[in-house]
Amino acid sequence: SFLKRLPFLRGKGKFKAWGKKFTVVMLSKLADWPTKTAVTGESLVKAGLIGDGEEILKILGKEKLKQALSVKVPVSDGARKSIEAAGGKIENGE
């Protein structure tokens, strides 16, 4: 048949992920973060924790924090609990 002659059109790239991938920052890397600076994408680029062109970001981890952070990026549920337990707030995170 015609499709058997074109195997790459049938299956090549069929199972590729279409969505964007998250850029992950672990909560332990924010342990020494200055409390007066909000955690945003721009401030993480300036600190060298993520690259300059990376758009999607997510903070993961369940570590205990010593200071309250103001977070303006998406966080995981475990990181949300840790940040709020330390007295911090999540303003724009999902």
Side-chain angles (χ1 to χ4, degrees):
S1 94
F2 182 69
L3 286 178
K4 286 186 178 180
R5 293 181 201 163
L6 303 171
F8 289 116
L9 294 179
R10 284 188 296 153
K12 185 173 172 100
K14 185 176 182 180
F15 297 109
K16 282 186 180 178
W18 288 89
K20 295 182 179 179
K21 299 194 186 242
F22 285 107
T23 301
V24 176
V25 174
M26 296 306 292
L27 193 59
S28 60
K29 298 206 178 203
L30 300 178
D32 297 329
W33 193 263
T35 56
K36 294 180 181 179
T37 307
V39 180
T40 62
E42 294 85 20
S43 64
L44 289 170
V45 169
K46 287 180 184 176
L49 293 176
I50 63 172
D52 192 10
E54 299 175 0
E55 297 176 8
I56 298 177
L57 172 76
K58 193 159 195 172
I59 297 177
L60 303 177
K62 294 183 181 180
E63 292 83 13
K64 292 185 180 181
L65 293 175
K66 297 176 184 175
Q67 75 272 12
L69 296 177
S70 174
V71 180
K72 296 182 180 181
V73 293
V75 297
S76 68
D77 289 335
R80 178 183 302 274
K81 290 176 185 175
S82 297
I83 292 168
E84 290 173 351
K89 60 182 178 176
I90 301 166
E91 297 177 16
N92 208 8
E94 296 176 354

